[in-house]
Amino acid sequence: MQYFNFGAWVNGHRVSAYVLVPLALSGLMMGLYFSGSAPLQQLVAPTIEGLPPFSWREFGIPEMLQNVILIWIVVVLVRSAIEAGHAGLSTLFVLLSMGFVFVLLEELDYGQHFIEFFGGAGSSLNPEEWDRNIHNRSTAEGVQYGSYMKSVATATLVLVFLIAPFLFNRSRFQLVRMFTPSRWAAATVLLIALLSRIAHMLDGAGLAEINGVPGNLEHNISEFRELNMYYLFLIYFAELNQRLRRAGLKPARSKPMPSARRR
């Protein structure tokens, strides 16, 4: 029985994978949220009685999709660690999978909002008592750790997906070429920036308000950006997994690694 090979699909449908899918994904989510229709907006960021307001968005479609994508990334990375056939590469993929497990747990608040949903008793908003996650905790200067994480994520998007594809695509080192993202990733990065700007403009124009009440993503419009950012990591690792399969890296084999397909 054959299963759908997502990495092979990405490799053969780069326009769809890197442009059309994230465009459609954000377009749908933003269309629902800024539609002016309360039932449609609730699909993106619902109001749930009995839970603190900062937990409401966790049960919306964008947040749920983020969690699914992060789990998918971990699965791809674990599979890559198993299939790499090289101790160094396997270790790298294990470390990456651990990193994304941490990101997933942070997004899930380590399950706290699900505990509250099924058992009640919301957490305190007092920063000194905050124990739901790390990224919402603040330094002594009052800066949330999430601000630093966001800066690291932005730098990664620019350096790895916007600049590296054009600097290292023709590197003389085969392993560097293999790990270099497709040049199509640059289009996704620019799309993420553009869609994020549009979302903030729509929010600033008050289009998220319904009957004078702000939407539940107020001050959290970055959720649209995060969704596409995680999706970009997914398609990168899926395509990388496909390249590893084509390379056929196995400890017993001594043949050189074939060059990554030109992009």
Side-chain angles (χ1 to χ4, degrees), residues 17 48 76 92 105 108 115 126 144 151 195-196 209-210 230:
I48 302 177
V76 171
L92 174 61
L105 292 175
L108 289 170
I115 294 173
N126 186 341
Q144 287 189 336
S151 297
L195 291 171
S196 177
E209 293 185 7
I210 298 178
Y230 293 148

Side-chain angles (χ1 to χ4, degrees), residues 159 162-172 176 180-181 183:
L159 295 175
L162 189 60
I163 297 177
F166 298 92
L167 287 183
F168 304 117
N169 186 258
R170 298 184 182 276
S171 171
R172 63 190 181 92
V176 171
T180 299
R183 291 181 179 180

Side-chain angles (χ1 to χ4, degrees), residues 56-180:
W56 291 347
R57 68 179 186 276
E58 304 292 347
F59 296 90
I61 294 177
E63 282 280 359
M64 291 298 183
L65 282 177
Q66 287 178 33
N67 297 335
V68 170
I69 289 173
L70 286 169
I71 292 172
W72 196 347
I73 289 173
V74 173
V75 171
V76 171
L77 288 171
V78 170
R79 187 193 310 174
S80 296
I82 295 172
E83 296 175 345
H86 184 281
L89 289 178
S90 294
T91 301
L92 174 61
F93 286 121
V94 168
L95 292 175
L96 286 170
S97 66
M98 292 171 63
F100 278 94
V101 167
F102 168 74
V103 175
L104 173 64
L105 292 175
E106 282 288 304
E107 287 288 350
L108 289 170
D109 286 350
Y110 299 86
Q112 185 65 38
H113 52 265
F114 287 108
I115 294 173
E116 292 172 349
F117 180 77
F118 291 108
S123 298
S124 170
L125 281 173
N126 186 341
E128 297 180 357
E129 300 176 6
W130 187 267
D131 61 357
R132 299 173 66 90
N133 54 46
I134 295 174
H135 68 272
N136 286 131
R137 294 181 184 177
S138 299
T139 64
E141 295 75 24
V143 180
Q144 287 189 336
Y145 289 110
S147 297
Y148 298 113
M149 295 178 181
K150 183 177 179 180
S151 297
V152 171
T154 300
T156 301
L157 285 178
V158 173
L159 295 175
V160 176
F161 295 111
L162 189 60
I163 297 177
F166 298 92
L167 287 183
F168 304 117
N169 186 258
R170 298 184 182 276
S171 171
R172 63 190 181 92
F173 299 104
Q174 294 173 337
L175 196 59
V176 171
R177 291 198 304 272
M178 175 169 287
F179 275 83
T180 299

